[in-house]
Amino acid sequence: MRLLFFFFTLLFLSCSDNQNLKQINIEKDIVDIKEEIQEIDFGDKLFNAYSKVQVTKKALIISNPKDFPNQIHLIDKNDYHYLTSTAPVGQGPGEITSLGEILTDEAGSELYVQDYARYQFFTYNIDSVLNNPEYKPALKWNLDRDIFPITLQMLNDTLSLGVIGMPTSPSEIHIQTGFWNMETNEIRLLDNLYPEDNHTRYDMAASLQDNLIAEAHWYKNLVVLRSFDGAEICRIKGNTEEHSDYYRKPVFAEGKLFVLY
């Protein structure tokens, strides 16, 4: 399997000319970083494709859903040695049944960990996790079972933007981009840009500085840019219609949009 990163160096300029559809030559813009990747030896800690990595002021946070006995691992971010683990699998006090999103506060001292099965977020103090092997988190937020965040990006300590899920049947869920007020638990959805496709799936990223939201669609060879008021700016398509080509994990950085392809 070939995993490549590519980026749109003229992305913001390209989408400012009122063209609703912008064609991108994917092969031209691919940056292959395969030879630059260096393996980090975590000892007996193994991770898989479902693992997520976050960098905080305190440590490197690596999550691994369904890992036994703990699902969240703290690694020293300077020399990458193992520090400790937390969030054991289970349904008891201090345990996480189905690991979801992990957020960090602006100070970098707290982790907010989602339990999909319980429709709840728990808060972990990183210093307490490091110093107390028996540490148990506290309940932070209860979520509505009819509308709830699936993926999130914190904009500040009270507001997040993310992909919001709304179950339509026991086996189907509709998703839409929206804001989640973490103080009031209120969710405000942005306009649905894909009413014709109830099964669309995408990853989302936001840039406050550029007033931009990027929605990178799975299997559709499509990235959609919209503003924070929800208005669509443009749609960016690759140069192939093959559904096997798709984009994941957009990230805004240094005036560019980086997307995993």
Side-chain angles (χ1 to χ4, degrees), residues 88-225:
V89 180
Q91 301 178 18
E95 298 176 334
I96 299 293
T97 307
S98 180
L99 184 65
E101 281 292 279
I102 299 178
L103 307 175
T104 61
D105 67 342
E106 288 183 315
S109 60
E110 301 283 333
L111 297 180
Y112 305 132
V113 178
Q114 184 180 19
D115 190 329
Y116 279 139
R118 294 177 175 176
Y119 294 88
Q120 292 176 325
F121 267 90
F122 293 88
T123 181
Y124 292 72
N125 180 274
I126 295 179
D127 285 336
S128 297
V129 172
L130 291 171
N131 295 321
N132 180 10
E134 304 301 321
Y135 174 81
K136 289 182 172 53
L139 176 64
K140 183 67 175 178
W141 300 297
N142 284 304
L143 303 177
D144 192 319
R145 291 174 179 261
D146 295 323
I147 179 169
F148 51 85
I150 298 176
T151 65
L152 287 169
Q153 178 179 331
M154 287 186 69
L155 304 177
N156 54 51
D157 278 346
T158 60
L159 190 66
S160 291
L161 179 67
V163 176
I164 307 300
M166 292 158 281
T168 56
S169 74
S171 59
E172 295 287 340
I173 187 169
H174 171 71
I175 67 170
Q176 209 163 318
T177 300
F179 291 93
W180 177 39
N181 186 315
M182 297 174 290
E183 282 191 338
T184 65
N185 204 24
E186 177 186 3
I187 290 178
R188 178 173 64 85
L189 297 174
L190 298 182
D191 288 343
N192 182 13
L193 299 180
Y194 322 104
E196 72 287 349
D197 189 354
N198 290 328
H199 300 286
T200 188
R201 293 291 181 267
Y202 56 84
D203 295 331
M204 191 223 72
S207 169
L208 275 171
Q209 179 180 353
D210 299 297
N211 185 32
L212 281 175
I213 300 169
E215 297 167 351
H217 288 256
W218 306 5
Y219 312 114
K220 291 185 178 294
N221 203 14
L222 176 68
V223 175
V224 177
L225 286 185

Side-chain angles (χ1 to χ4, degrees), residues 243-254:
H243 288 288
S244 59
D245 290 342
Y246 64 101
Y247 308 135
R248 295 294 306 271
K249 307 300 181 185
V251 176
F252 287 96
E254 300 179 355

Side-chain angles (χ1 to χ4, degrees), residues 2 4-7 25-32 261:
R2 189 176 61 143
L4 301 175
F5 281 106
F6 73 92
F7 60 89
N25 184 334
I26 294 176
E27 296 300 326
K28 174 184 176 182
D29 294 319
I30 286 178
V31 177
D32 189 346
Y261 171 66

